Amino acid sequence: MSLDIEAFSVHDVSGFPLIRLRPDRMEPGFASQWEIEMDALLLKGRPFVIVFPALRTEESHEDRKRRGIWLKRNKQVLGGLCLCLISVEPDGLKRIALKAQAAMAKKAFGIPAEVVAADREAEVLAGQLLAAAGT
């Protein structure tokens, strides 16, 4: 099953199985589209990695709540396909805070999470994880 790249707006799936979140598409109310896209990724049935770029927008409470419910509901399937969520954060202090959040997210949602300083580090790590999974 191939992904219809045109159907994705919140995620850039053109490099699947390396997926990039598009923070500029995270306007209030984006969670419904995010859910549709995540469902499509799970239906694909192949391992993937999601990279969160350094420039992120503040997520609305309703979007965060809706995504949290989806993540809990799909924890087992997502944990089997999403090899890692990789956040990019150049600022050292913010990176430390994000690493603490990543550890909590792993416990809550069953998805490994890493925080790196640069896009290139995210690409290298994603490549290593995907190669290890045979993707």
Side-chain angles (χ1 to χ4, degrees), residues 19-91:
I19 300 163
R20 294 181 184 279
L21 187 70
R22 294 175 167 152
D24 59 320
R25 307 284 177 91
M26 294 175 64
E27 299 289 328
F30 81 96
S32 60
Q33 178 63 29
W34 179 89
E35 287 179 5
I36 291 167
E37 294 177 19
M38 291 301 294
D39 286 338
L41 290 170
L42 295 184
L43 284 173
K44 177 99 172 131
R46 289 189 41 217
F48 57 89
V49 173
I50 300 177
V51 174
F52 291 81
L55 300 174
R56 288 184 282 282
T57 57
E58 195 57 39
E59 186 174 10
S60 75
H61 172 74
E62 191 57 39
D63 286 325
R64 185 173 26 261
K65 179 180 167 185
R66 187 166 178 170
R67 285 187 337 102
I69 291 168
W70 186 96
L71 287 164
K72 287 179 183 176
R73 188 175 62 239
N74 293 282
K75 179 179 179 176
Q76 188 171 3
V77 175
L78 185 63
L81 292 174
C82 184
L83 301 176
C84 193
L85 301 174
I86 304 172
S87 294
V88 178
E89 179 51 65
D91 182 275

